[in-house]
Amino acid sequence: MGYRNNPLNHRFLRELKGDFGKYFVIFLLMLMSISFVSGFLVADNSMLIAYEEGFEKYNIEHGHFETRNPLNPSARKAIRRLDITIYDNRYAETSLNNGSTLRIYAMRDSVNLLCLMKGEFPSAPDEIIIDRMYADNNHIRIGDALTDGTHTWKVSGLAAFGDYSCLFQNNSDSMFDAVKFSVACLTPQGFEALKDLPVTYCYAWRYPKDPSDREEEHDWSEKLLKQLREIVPLQDYVPRYQNQAITFTGEDMGSDKVMMEVLLYIIIAIIAFVFTITINDTIRRESAVIGTLLASGYTRKELTEHYMAVPVTVTVVSALIGNILGYTVMKNAAADMYYASYSLPVYVTVWNADAFIRTTIIPILIMIAITSLTLQRQLRRSPLLFLRGDLSSQRRSRAFFLPHALPIMTKYRMRILLQNAGSYLVLFVGILFSNLLLMFGMQLPALMTNFQAVIDKDMIASYQYILNIPLSLTDSSAMKTDQLLEYMEYASSVSTENPTAEKFSVYTLKTEEVPGSRQDQVMIYGIRENSRYVDLHGVKDEVCVSSAYAEKYDLHPGDVIRLKEEFLDRTYTFTVGSVVEYMSGIAVFMPMEKLNETFDLGRDTFAGYFSRTEITDIPRRYISTVIDRDELSKITRQLMVSMGDLMYLVDVFAVVMYIILIYLLSRMIIEKNAKSISLTRILGFTGSETAGLYILSTTIAVLVSMAVSIPLLKVILIPLFRTMLKKMMSGWLPLTLDPMVNARMFVIGLAAYAAVAVFEYRKIRKIPLEEALKNAE
Amino acid sequence: MFLGLRDIRKSYGNRENRVEVLKGISFDAEKGELVVLLGPSGCGKSTLLNIIGGIDEADSGKIEVRGEVMNTMNERERTKYRRKHLGYIFQMYNLIPNLTVRENIEVGGYLSDHPLDIDGLIETLGLKEHQDKLPSQLSGGQQQRTSIGRAIIKNPDILLCDEPTGALDYRTSKDILKLIESVNQKYGSTVVMVTHNEAIRHMADLVLEMRDGTIRRQYRNEEKTAAADLDW
């Protein structure tokens, strides 16, 4: 009677136990990666569902527009005839004593409803509900008081505002700001009490049904814009698909998912190659056993299954436990990261079959494919060759010539390096990848610090005031009487006595849409002749672009740029004549007269002031934006809050992966050479000499890998940052890598390696002398 | 007396599984003598060789080499002893697979303050044209010559040979024996050779016949046979 089970299976546990250290660290690495990615995908998917469902659940607007004055009854009547429903969504803004700006609405009951996260909705005029994320970032708790000096409110609750899932104060901002900007709601009575604050008359609209796609949404909004302009002068017009405060979150969450999956597959592929090296080594070590089993009648399939059992089991167990951890612990960590960036509503964990396939089935399949291919290739040899230990790749190999004059210890180390080139190559890829993560985690904060320094250095002026030109005045068609009056009032109010002030004109255009990149809003500055603030390098017919623009779009003098109107189907082309050092914004500079002429603004029109000191004599309602150091710091401040934790996690993960990979591969190299190590000791080499031979070789490989990977990473990382930042933000950060980060990475790498080397040193010294005599017995 | 062993005992296993491999081995060999340890498989001759080589430790007894007592040496001193006095030749050659012929021999030379001239030695061993090859590219005989080269380049006082011809054919075996004989004569190394080939006893100065962990008979040859004249 034959065995029902393959008796070789009895070796399974022994093999696992015998090499427990190795399999445990592989398990650990896979567990970390799978649980992290699984948790991330589950949280990402569940929160994305909550975010998308929120549009209907919280009746989120299809867009909003702003008017100078409240809509009069005839305008309301005219709008009612359009195919939309409008909702009063007026707001007031105030500066809190903590330096933040608070945009206050009256409690909404029909559009842009709030998702209560904690506490209660306000029930008294002095109670306020604010954005949950802003509260987190500023450590504001329920019951705390908020004050702007005039008003004081008690925080009754924290909420997610569906129309501000990302806290963009202005839609043209480069980055949202959840640290110094928040939205809030008061009771209607509470809102009415804000009489001293200027009110922005904002109206949200909804179409009778959702547009079927982006194109339809675009067409509807273009049509609506034309219709509204006929009815009322518009101060601002933002359809939902262009509203960063609503759409940024969804777009960012989608792109994160792809990045995480790629990360997982790279790690799995590295681990699979580690297993390949292990399998090759096992086959070499067990060649006589394999020969005997094949000669006894075992099939190659049975042996393939046998040798695949451990790696595949380790993968399956890691994937299953990783998913359990993903759905429990890691999901919360990932959700916390999203909650740290976005003001998302409460989510419910949703079973994600796609995540399960990607984090469990695919890694297992990758592992099965790579290990079975390796085994099939290795086991193709005849039983006799295995019995003789005559593995063809060894027999065919020729020695790489090394000069005789080199000292033997040098040659010995070089031979170790050559012999283990495959392992060292995997080590190099592993180090490259770990360093990529590490560099990413360490350079991003450095990038922010550098950006802050650049901002300080090349600000055009300490203050830039952009005047609030009503949208109606940018329409070149003939003005109606009320528009003319509005213009006259505007023109008389925007002069200043400030001696450092210098007028400039400005026009805003957009870059053309490029897949994978956010459209940039380009500030076209018209600069006065002999300006104290901007040197146009003598360009007249051409334009200057800011260094940020040049770097982001790789522009050089002579290049032609095409820019389009935001709300009109009109494009402009300009030739780049020179680059102005200005990293804080995507901007174009040209002589003021030329700008006014190009955009038909009128010869003496201007749109703002550059100033060294604060301008205090222009009414606030005519100031749209003040660009000062604080405003320019918004990008760095928000990116640090959003990505700070993630970067820290990435750093830790990178270092752990780095240690594990070096440990695994150097351990395998030592195991592979156990007989030679033992032999050198029999011959009279001391333990330290032998350890030195093998450890120094790995040290050389590690040092070379680190030395090569760091400049190589620069080549990889800059385009990576470029792609990521293009996707994440409008505007630009100077991609200057901090060389000190390289030094710190080198030190971290060396410290991690030193820890592993101590283990390896002990392992080498523990190899018994009898190891070399095993075959001779 | 150059090499002296007194009542060497060695057991493996514990309690009921305990097997006594050496049961009181004693012999003396002079400088430059060729000692042959003869006996069937499992009689303890390789264990004895490993104990002389400082790879294994005796449970009791005393080993003296040039007046130094080996039993009292710690691991570091034994390493120094192997480095200074011993050359090792194995049945399966035990060359370092990723080093060339020349480099394998150089590994031995590294351990000596006054190694022999490597080029002359490679020439003598007939390995000149193979010196840049890896062991896997060589025949068994060439590998064993390399192994001999590695052992003798440091001009050791004692050359320990564990079945040096055990894996070789008749002709190659004779070549290897001639080489060992010439090393013995030219450099004056004391050679201790383990073998189960009865014919080799005739080239020895001292023959130790072992069985079941004991020396059943030991004698000195009045007249030795040159390796070239051996036949089996």
Side-chain angles (χ1 to χ4, degrees), chain A residues 394-402 404 406-409 411-412 415-417 419-420 673 675-676 679-687 689 694 765 769-770 772-773 775-777, chain B residues 46 50 53-56 75-76 79-80 82-83 86 88 90-100 102-104 106-108 110-111 119 131-134 136-137 150 154 162:
Chain A
Q394 282 183 8
R395 190 162 48 98
R396 274 200 302 271
S397 64
R398 295 179 125 211
F400 183 85
F401 180 78
L402 296 176
H404 291 174
L406 287 174
I408 179 61
M409 297 303 262
K411 285 191 274 189
Y412 200 146
R415 293 283 177 210
I416 294 169
L417 286 168
Q419 177 204 21
N420 299 291
N673 289 283
K675 202 172 159 187
S676 297
L679 185 71
T680 49
R681 298 203 43 209
I682 289 176
L683 294 177
F685 280 75
T686 61
E689 277 173 332
Y694 285 87
R765 287 182 66 104
L769 294 179
E770 301 84 56
L773 306 175
N775 284 352
E777 289 294 324
Chain B
S46 288
N50 290 343
I55 301 173
D56 207 347
E75 178 57 40
R76 184 185 289 262
T79 301
K80 205 170 159 190
R82 285 198 298 273
R83 190 178 183 118
L86 292 187
Y88 236 114
F90 303 94
Q91 179 181 358
M92 293 311 295
Y93 332 123
N94 277 0
L95 297 174
I96 297 170
N98 55 332
L99 298 186
T100 62
R102 185 183 179 91
E103 290 159 359
N104 262 289
E106 280 182 300
V107 166
Y110 172 81
L111 300 168
D119 291 311
Q131 63 175 326
D132 291 319
K133 288 182 182 169
L134 291 175
S136 57
Q137 295 174 278
R150 179 179 64 191
K154 63 179 181 178
D162 192 357

Side-chain angles (χ1 to χ4, degrees), chain B:
Chain B
M1 180 198 61
F2 182 77
L3 170 67
L5 279 77
R6 294 284 169 275
D7 197 25
I8 297 296
R9 290 176 184 277
K10 175 75 182 174
S11 303
Y12 290 113
N14 48 24
R15 295 190 178 175
E16 61 272 22
N17 297 324
R18 195 173 183 83
V19 179
E20 198 171 13
V21 184
L22 299 177
K23 301 169 182 168
I25 302 285
S26 302
F27 74 86
D28 292 323
E30 296 304 324
K31 171 82 179 147
E33 275 192 329
L34 197 154
V35 181
V36 168
L37 275 165
L38 263 177
S41 296
C43 70
K45 51 190 190 305
S46 288
T47 304
L48 182 60
L49 199 73
N50 290 343
I51 289 172
I52 298 170
I55 301 173
D56 207 347
E57 282 179 80
D59 296 338
S60 63
K62 184 178 169 190
I63 305 169
E64 249 182 273
V65 181
R66 288 175 35 152
E68 286 179 59
V69 179
M70 239 186 78
N71 311 54
T72 55
M73 291 178 184
N74 59 25
E75 178 57 40
R76 184 185 289 262
E77 288 165 334
R78 278 208 300 275
T79 301
K80 205 170 159 190
Y81 156 77
R82 285 198 298 273
R83 190 178 183 118
K84 203 167 158 192
H85 300 296
L86 292 187
Y88 236 114
I89 299 169
F90 303 94
Q91 179 181 358
M92 293 311 295
Y93 332 123
N94 277 0
L95 297 174
I96 297 170
N98 55 332
L99 298 186
T100 62
V101 166
R102 185 183 179 91
E103 290 159 359
N104 262 289
I105 297 172
E106 280 182 300
V107 166
Y110 172 81
L111 300 168
S112 169
D113 293 334
H114 306 288
L116 302 180
D117 170 51
I118 184 152
D119 291 311
L121 184 61
I122 285 174
E123 188 93 47
T124 307
L125 293 166
L127 291 169
K128 193 170 178 195
E129 61 184 292
H130 304 295
Q131 63 175 326
D132 291 319
K133 288 182 182 169
L134 291 175
S136 57
Q137 295 174 278
L138 302 177
S139 68
Q142 288 161 342
Q143 289 192 58
Q144 195 58 294
R145 282 168 186 277
T146 309
S147 162
I148 292 169
R150 179 179 64 191
I152 65 174
I153 190 171
K154 63 179 181 178
N155 200 2
D157 296 322
I158 302 171
L159 190 59
L160 301 176
C161 313
D162 192 357
E163 299 273 13
T165 59
L168 303 173
D169 60 38
Y170 171 78
R171 213 182 154 80
T172 315
S173 295
K174 277 190 79 168
D175 285 346
I176 293 299
L177 288 172
K178 281 194 276 184
L179 200 56
I180 293 171
E181 183 183 57
S182 73
V183 167
N184 172 242
Q185 287 165 2
K186 190 172 173 183
Y187 301 112
S189 309
T190 301
V191 178
V192 180
M193 192 188 323
V194 162
T195 181
H196 59 262
N197 185 339
E198 288 285 332
I200 294 176
R201 70 168 72 217
H202 302 297
M203 67 182 278
D205 294 295
L206 173 64
V207 179
L208 307 170
E209 288 180 7
M210 286 186 69
R211 183 133 329 157
D212 296 331
T214 57
I215 295 178
R216 292 189 64 179
R217 183 178 165 220
Q218 62 173 293
Y219 63 92
R220 289 177 188 281
N221 280 322
E222 292 295 314
E223 273 189 30
K224 295 199 292 184
T225 308
D229 298 330
L230 293 179
D231 200 7
W232 60 91

Side-chain angles (χ1 to χ4, degrees), chain A residues 57-119:
Chain A
K57 190 173 173 185
Y58 303 109
N59 204 34
I60 302 301
E61 64 182 39
H62 283 124
H64 67 256
F65 59 88
E66 288 173 12
T67 56
R68 169 86 191 281
N69 298 307
L71 290 177
N72 58 38
S74 69
R76 280 182 186 272
K77 199 175 164 190
I79 291 172
R80 222 171 285 137
R81 280 199 294 272
L82 304 176
D83 207 10
I84 56 166
T85 311
I86 60 161
Y87 305 87
D88 191 345
N89 205 25
R90 70 183 67 185
Y91 62 84
E93 273 188 10
T94 187
S95 297
L96 295 179
N97 286 0
N98 65 7
S100 302
T101 301
L102 197 63
R103 180 171 292 174
I104 309 165
Y105 292 84
M107 268 307 285
R108 292 107 171 244
D109 52 12
S110 46
V111 76
N112 296 334
L113 303 175
L114 271 57
C115 168
L116 184 68
M117 305 290 282
K118 215 172 185 183

Side-chain angles (χ1 to χ4, degrees), chain A residues 194-213:
Chain A
L194 305 177
K195 289 197 166 43
D196 54 318
L197 295 176
V199 171
T200 302
Y201 297 99
C202 180
Y203 297 90
W205 82 79
R206 275 189 63 87
Y207 303 114
K209 59 171 187 162
D210 285 329
S212 55
D213 55 25

